[in-house]
Amino acid sequence: MTTPRKIIIDTDPGQDDAVAILLALASPEEIEVLGITTVAGNVPLHLTTRNARIVCELAGKPDTRIFAGCDTPLARPLVTAEHVHGKTGLDGPVLPEPTMPVADLHAVDFIIDTLRAEAPGSVTLCPLGPLTNIATALEKAPDIAPRIAEIVLMGGAYFEVGNITPAAEFNIYVDPEAAKVVFACGAPITVMPLDVTHKALVTKPRNDAFRALGTPAGHAVAEMTDFFERFDKEKYGSLGAPLHDPCVTAYLIAPDLFEGRHINVEIETASDLTLGMTVADWWRVTGRAPNATFMGAIDDDGFFALLTERLGRL
């Protein structure tokens, strides 16, 4: 019996963030969620914090600790994505207003305190949104970097190029300065870019399987993906919406579902044209030292089988 991985989920929910959180909370054998930290991204901070609370209550886990974090990127005005996620960030299902509390401690301080209190190499950070909280913690407390077990993040793109600009994926684009700090911190990093998440498509049969679970969580997930897939189907001409953020949680439970390369990834922060681009040295042509495992492939059937089975537990 392996002990569960201790994780902090850093998130800006978002429908796909919600599914990632549900998957984590449904998998206590593999994952111990020490806390959820919220950041401004898909929608402003007050809404991402509200949405994190809604999702924990939907999962029947109202004792999960939630910490509100940074409400603006390190050096830029906030860019949000209501055009994808709706004005609340969780449009689709009708879910009750949350009643569970938000902790008094700032998310950045919770991240720092937790990494200092737990054994070195025992806490994994799982950012699902812009990297503002993680970068702020690293800048405020550089001693935490060598204590991080791994940073498993959803962000970036290489072969799939951008989804918010022609060159950049949304999470990295919103706070490229923060991404630069994180990718340079020296901790082991695993990246779930659009190259992988665009292969994790919620087709109609897969969404029907969520709905057929007959549970509040199953229904809510089906309604969430019904809502935001209209945007992706129109944009990409694909069979359904990509489930980006649950790839992070699935990797913690079943890493064999993914394949990638340990390569150098640099973040563009100066160019107007390619701001926020994850320059991934996939072909190892630069000679720059590898700093991240950049995933390129997913067993999508295995991924949806895992997701459906776990959601059925809630």
Side-chain angles (χ1 to χ4, degrees), residues 3-10 30-37 65 67 107-127 134 137-138 143-153 185 187-190 252:
T3 49
R5 260 177 104 149
K6 295 179 176 181
I7 73 166
I8 296 171
I9 298 175
D10 186 69
E30 293 92 359
I31 295 173
E32 180 186 348
V33 180
L34 299 178
I36 294 175
T37 53
R65 295 191 297 164
F67 303 83
V108 169
D109 295 317
F110 170 71
I111 292 166
I112 293 169
D113 292 353
T114 303
L115 285 164
R116 285 176 173 167
E118 298 285 344
S122 67
V123 176
T124 297
L125 302 180
C126 299
I134 310 299
L138 288 163
D143 59 285
I144 65 175
R147 302 180 71 91
I148 298 168
E150 188 177 5
I151 298 171
V152 184
L153 66 94
C185 77
I189 296 175
T190 298
L252 300 176

Side-chain angles (χ1 to χ4, degrees), residues 196 255-261 282 293-299:
V196 162
D256 294 350
L257 292 173
F258 300 90
E259 281 178 47
R261 289 187 184 183
W282 186 259
T293 300
F294 201 81
M295 291 299 179
I298 178 175
D299 170 0

Side-chain angles (χ1 to χ4, degrees), residues 17-250:
D17 304 70
V19 181
I21 294 166
L22 292 172
L23 178 56
L25 294 175
S27 305
E29 303 91 337
E30 293 92 359
I31 295 173
E32 180 186 348
V33 180
L34 299 178
I36 294 175
T37 53
T38 60
V39 68
N42 284 322
V43 285
L45 182 70
H46 72 280
L47 287 173
T48 62
T49 305
R50 168 186 175 265
N51 292 347
R53 295 162 65 213
I54 288 173
V55 173
C56 289
E57 292 184 2
L58 175 64
K61 309 279 185 181
D63 52 346
T64 307
R65 295 191 297 164
I66 294 178
F67 303 83
C70 299
D71 60 359
T72 49
L74 295 186
R76 297 172 189 276
L78 178 65
V79 175
T80 54
E82 286 89 352
H83 62 289
V84 181
H85 299 281
K87 64 184 189 302
T88 68
L90 273 188
D91 281 20
V94 177
L95 295 167
E97 276 300 315
T99 58
M100 64 184 282
V102 177
D104 291 334
L105 193 63
H106 192 282
V108 169
D109 295 317
F110 170 71
I111 292 166
I112 293 169
D113 292 353
T114 303
L115 285 164
R116 285 176 173 167
E118 298 285 344
S122 67
V123 176
T124 297
L125 302 180
C126 299
L128 309 179
L131 290 161
T132 317
N133 286 338
I134 310 299
T136 304
L138 288 163
E139 291 194 319
K140 187 173 176 181
D143 59 285
I144 65 175
R147 302 180 71 91
I148 298 168
E150 188 177 5
I151 298 171
V152 184
L153 66 94
M154 190 277 133
Y158 186 63
F159 295 102
E160 281 284 305
V161 297
N163 63 354
I164 185 74
T165 72
E169 178 275 329
F170 177 81
N171 287 344
I172 306 295
Y173 178 78
V174 170
D175 199 342
E177 284 78 14
K180 196 174 185 87
V181 169
V182 171
F183 276 84
C185 77
I189 296 175
T190 298
V191 183
M192 294 293 165
L194 299 181
D195 306 315
V196 162
T197 66
H198 279 180
K199 296 168 184 158
L201 295 177
V202 187
T203 57
K204 186 176 185 304
R206 288 167 173 171
N207 216 27
D208 290 346
F210 295 150
R211 198 172 266 110
L213 292 170
T215 61
H219 275 290
V221 168
E223 289 173 349
M224 285 180 208
T225 53
D226 278 344
F227 176 83
F228 83 102
E229 81 169 6
R230 80 202 183 307
F231 174 81
D232 285 300
K233 277 180 156 173
E234 191 178 326
K235 178 171 164 186
Y236 299 113
S238 58
L239 291 171
L243 275 187
H244 307 286
D245 295 328
C247 290
V248 168
T249 320

